[in-house]
Amino acid sequence: MTDGLRAAVASGRLRTGARLPATRLLAGELGVSRGVVVDAYQRLIDEGLAAARTGAGTTIIARPRVRDSASDRRRSLDTLRLPLPPADGIDFDLSPGVPDLSAFPRTAWLRAERAVLDGITAADLGYGDPGGAPWLRAELAGWLARTRGVRAEPDDVIVVGGVAQALALLARTLHAAGRSRVAVEDPGSRGARDQLAHWGVRPEPVPVDAEGLVVGELTQDAAVLTPAHQYPTGVVLSPARRRALLAWATSGDRLIVEDDYDAEHRYDRAPVAALQGSGPDEVAYAGSVSKSLAPGMRLGWLIAPRRLQAELLTAKHDSDLGNPALPQLVLARLLATGDYERHLRTVRGRQRRRRDALIEGLRRHLPDASVTGVAAGLHLMVTVSSDISDISLAERAAGHGVLVHPLSWHRHRPGPPGLILGYAAHPPDRLTEAAKRLGEALSRPGQLSRPGR
Amino acid sequence: MTDGLRAAVASGRLRTGARLPATRLLAGELGVSRGVVVDAYQRLIDEGLAAARTGAGTTIIARPRVRDSASDRRRSLDTLRLPLPPADGIDFDLSPGVPDLSAFPRTAWLRAERAVLDGITAADLGYGDPGGAPWLRAELAGWLARTRGVRAEPDDVIVVGGVAQALALLARTLHAAGRSRVAVEDPGSRGARDQLAHWGVRPEPVPVDAEGLVVGELTQDAAVLTPAHQYPTGVVLSPARRRALLAWATSGDRLIVEDDYDAEHRYDRAPVAALQGSGPDEVAYAGSVSKSLAPGMRLGWLIAPRRLQAELLTAKHDSDLGNPALPQLVLARLLATGDYERHLRTVRGRQRRRRDALIEGLRRHLPDASVTGVAAGLHLMVTVSSDISDISLAERAAGHGVLVHPLSWHRHRPGPPGLILGYAAHPPDRLTEAAKRLGEALSRPGQLSRPGR
């Protein structure tokens, strides 16, 4: 029933602001006990989607954020305790995980699509290979080899509907094999955790420290992680940990799932190569164009150890027969012409300037804060020495019009406070201003409402 | 293991012509008993994917056809007994279920995509509603109301990756509710049957007669059918059966799944309205652009009774977060501008001329045959009074260079013989020639090889 209500909210059938029916009434209407309805409402409240006020019943206050493997934007009232101010009080939305959607390469995309449609054959538009268009699989194998050190033949690549679908397919395969205990990072993506749980595997949080996932604590059948730029802390998995992780996998026929969620956004140094290149028989590598083009593309890839590929292809086939053909061919062409690489270069330069503006602003306005996780990605992490929880700090920031994620939202177990700041969607001068506001918010502990409002 | 081999063949890793390793060798390599490998090979042979010859081992002879809910193109050697001649002996492929892919409206599609990209907002490209782009849902609700009598608000429409995904989502929902017995049509689509079985529900064949599905034989929790133009016989569900079916559903909280697979292709009379319009609380309506644009689009819709929608949305979300945004917006625009309707009108005229040419050719060259299922669709059915099985007739046709489907391929239980002829992909003069060849093939029972070859 909670799922039903949640989906009703997600679909907009229950809109923000809608009052839920009195529990007694709904229980009567559905022919269930009142306790069932009360529990369902409470779960919505726990998830931050609804709020109950004495005398006013239960009201929908937010739509569930669509979850992505490495960009969990959902908020929990049970950890947050107070709802954030409504969005119209927010001047700067620094939620992580959202690329600069205004940078979508419309001209190049359209040019490639015209060329694809000019040359397309009937076979291209028919029922295709469930693993994807051969051209795209070949281009991706080459591209990922060059840029990420991935070792794959074209046939090893399965084209999927984003990393979320890659996780769904892997979870089903693990579950079917009775290998249902899967380690996830803590802090980490709640989206990935929920995705795995939906398909019957048990996600078990394993701590992340300054070297990345604490490999010594792994006892599971598989581990899902973001080694090149941990989500959300930005930590890079250390060389010692990489070696330990691969040894862990080979010593017990365990699977490493590498979510390379922002592989395209590295700034200062050469990127760490993908783990998959060091262990193609141990690592299932997943990536997508969600951060390089747009999440709405729902286009990604999964390169799994060969022993798993047949089952994964069957699962993909029985889910949807395969990804849509046209966007696959357009991406293949963008890769082949170099337009994709050119686009990434442009965006990377822009993101670096944005990151630098935010770092500089924080240095000026929050001089005591420590900023980490800056080598790559679309967000960074700020830690301040404070007795106050990061949730309270985020509330203060919101009171000053800046929406940031407290690290606690992404944690399973308690840990040191932190704030996650996404910078991809804002030009430098706006980020400078956001840093100034943050400085005002966090350096005046007593002040919870925004000046002048 | 069979699944694994099948997927390896599907993906092209095991190519047509490839010799499978000796059973003893493979068993040793995989650490399984030889019987397991023998069984797996036998299943591939049963499915028509491999052939065993004494002294030559087992060889891959075909790739599995991708299955669609209403266009099963798979062939079984266990019913066919003899493999069809290789494709280069086939001059006319009259397999049903394939639209005229050369008619894809490239210009209109590209024009619409340009307009969409010009007006697109960041929100359109972000993580969207798992149920689909609001614009497309609204256009589809209006279009299906006008053309098919479907009763739906925009929020009732879930955008899916084709009817195959609609069936997958419904099967999961039925299975989760413990309603796992699902009636399917016999003859009917093997693709739909396999799709349902994969997701844990039990497809049970129920006979189709001259009035369509024999509703009196239904004992299941749900029924999947093609009421407007039965696949593959072309029968239209009679008014009495429609009423009986709806009464069956309401009397026991049962679900009707209406696969409206070729709703766009009706020729002589006004189309029968969708069942859904008469029973929106009993019918889950599914359709796609596979037959109107191309199967490779993987774009369809599911309109389910409201009590099921929340669960279906959750299932869609946890499968892939939703369909890709751009193609949804392009289709919405094609619907809004009338370009989609114009395209259908053009194609419909062309298909009618093709159908007429085939009917006329059959009348001339197979004067004793009876031709049915012609009011709609992309294929028709031919029955001849013959002592010979339709599989043998199809073999003879193949020997004369014409690939047709024997009705037996689509049957679960034995029944009267029939041949299914798809005409969408061939111009009239080619169809006339194909009919002539068929006449030669079927009127000379002794002759199994093609004259002059």
Side-chain angles (χ1 to χ4, degrees), chain A residues 161-236:
Chain A
V163 172
Q165 188 176 50
L167 288 179
L169 300 177
L170 286 165
R172 282 177 57 198
T173 304
L174 287 165
H175 181 66
R179 303 177 69 72
S180 289
R181 292 181 58 220
V182 177
V184 295
E185 295 171 310
D186 184 17
S189 158
R190 183 173 301 184
R193 221 153 76 201
D194 290 349
Q195 192 88 21
L196 294 167
H198 175 87
W199 292 99
V201 308
R202 185 141 51 95
E204 301 182 351
V206 169
V208 168
D209 66 16
E211 289 190 67
L213 187 74
V214 181
V215 174
E217 298 204 10
L218 288 175
T219 62
Q220 292 78 4
D221 305 311
V224 178
L225 73 166
T226 48
H229 186 240
Q230 205 272 331
Y231 186 87
T233 65
V235 169
V236 178

Side-chain angles (χ1 to χ4, degrees), chain A residues 18-229:
Chain A
R19 275 270 294 280
L20 292 171
T23 49
R24 203 187 327 254
L25 281 178
L26 187 59
E29 212 172 301
L30 299 177
V32 299
S33 81
R34 201 180 149 207
V36 170
V37 179
V38 169
D39 282 352
Y41 282 15
Q42 188 57 46
R43 282 197 50 191
L44 285 189
I45 293 169
D46 290 347
E47 289 174 15
L49 302 180
R53 263 170 306 172
T54 322
T58 307
T59 308
I60 298 299
I61 59 166
R63 292 178 76 171
R65 299 302 183 111
V66 174
R67 293 166 280 161
D68 187 36
S69 61
S71 63
D72 174 13
R73 305 185 70 212
R74 295 208 306 170
R75 294 148 201 160
S76 288
L77 267 184
D78 58 347
T79 52
L80 184 57
R81 265 172 258 114
L82 280 173
L84 291 169
D88 59 4
I90 295 295
D91 300 317
F92 305 92
D93 182 349
L94 303 190
S95 298
V98 180
D100 182 4
L101 294 172
S102 70
F104 185 84
R106 298 161 206 226
T107 309
W109 184 271
L110 205 58
R111 190 170 54 225
E113 179 137 337
R114 185 179 308 114
V116 161
L117 282 170
D118 279 348
I120 209 161
T121 66
D124 291 328
L125 289 170
Y127 291 103
D129 190 315
W135 187 20
L136 178 58
R137 296 166 90 178
E139 289 293 338
L140 283 172
W143 166 258
L144 294 170
R146 280 200 307 285
T147 61
R148 305 294 299 123
V150 166
R151 283 156 61 188
E153 298 296 317
D155 278 352
D156 295 323
V157 180
I158 303 177
V159 178
V160 293
V163 172
Q165 188 176 50
L167 288 179
L169 300 177
L170 286 165
R172 282 177 57 198
T173 304
L174 287 165
H175 181 66
R179 303 177 69 72
S180 289
R181 292 181 58 220
V182 177
V184 295
E185 295 171 310
D186 184 17
S189 158
R190 183 173 301 184
R193 221 153 76 201
D194 290 349
Q195 192 88 21
L196 294 167
H198 175 87
W199 292 99
V201 308
R202 185 141 51 95
E204 301 182 351
V206 169
V208 168
D209 66 16
E211 289 190 67
L213 187 74
V214 181
V215 174
E217 298 204 10
L218 288 175
T219 62
Q220 292 78 4
D221 305 311
V224 178
L225 73 166
T226 48
H229 186 240

Side-chain angles (χ1 to χ4, degrees), chain A residues 343-360:
Chain A
H343 167 69
L344 288 181
R345 215 177 302 132
T346 308
V347 170
R348 207 180 290 129
R350 188 183 308 175
Q351 307 287 52
R352 187 172 43 225
R353 289 189 292 279
R354 292 174 177 198
R355 179 201 63 162
D356 292 347
L358 182 57
I359 293 175
E360 178 54 31

Side-chain angles (χ1 to χ4, degrees), chain A residues 203-349:
Chain A
E204 301 182 351
V206 169
V208 168
D209 66 16
E211 289 190 67
L213 187 74
V214 181
V215 174
E217 298 204 10
L218 288 175
T219 62
Q220 292 78 4
D221 305 311
V224 178
L225 73 166
T226 48
H229 186 240
Q230 205 272 331
Y231 186 87
T233 65
V235 169
V236 178
L237 193 68
S238 73
R241 290 277 172 85
R242 285 169 70 100
R243 285 192 299 275
L245 185 64
L246 288 164
W248 168 81
T250 43
S251 67
D253 186 27
R254 298 165 186 125
L255 182 68
I256 299 166
V257 180
E258 177 172 27
D259 176 358
D260 208 21
Y261 75 102
D262 63 359
E264 309 81 4
H265 301 107
R266 336 230 135 227
Y267 306 117
D268 309 311
R269 23 181 155 152
V272 186
L275 263 178
Q276 194 272 356
S278 306
D281 293 333
E282 288 77 37
V283 179
Y285 175 91
S288 78
V289 301
S290 291
K291 307 289 180 287
S292 61
L293 293 175
M297 306 304 288
R298 308 309 316 133
L299 181 51
W301 41 87
L302 169 60
I303 296 164
R306 292 196 174 159
R307 66 183 184 282
L308 300 178
Q309 289 176 7
E311 258 184 281
L312 290 166
L313 273 172
T314 301
K316 173 66 177 163
H317 177 271
D318 288 319
S319 298
D320 53 24
L321 306 188
N323 261 54
L326 269 185
Q328 289 189 66
L329 297 173
V330 175
L331 179 60
R333 190 178 163 91
L334 291 173
L335 284 162
T337 58
D339 277 344
Y340 186 73
E341 189 157 16
R342 268 185 291 279
H343 167 69
L344 288 181
R345 215 177 302 132
T346 308
V347 170
R348 207 180 290 129

Side-chain angles (χ1 to χ4, degrees), chain A residues 68 125 127 172 198 296 318, chain B residues 68 125 127 172 195 198 296 318:
Chain A
D68 187 36
L125 289 170
Y127 291 103
R172 282 177 57 198
H198 175 87
D318 288 319
Chain B
D68 188 37
L125 289 170
Y127 292 104
R172 283 177 56 198
Q195 193 86 23
H198 175 87
D318 289 318

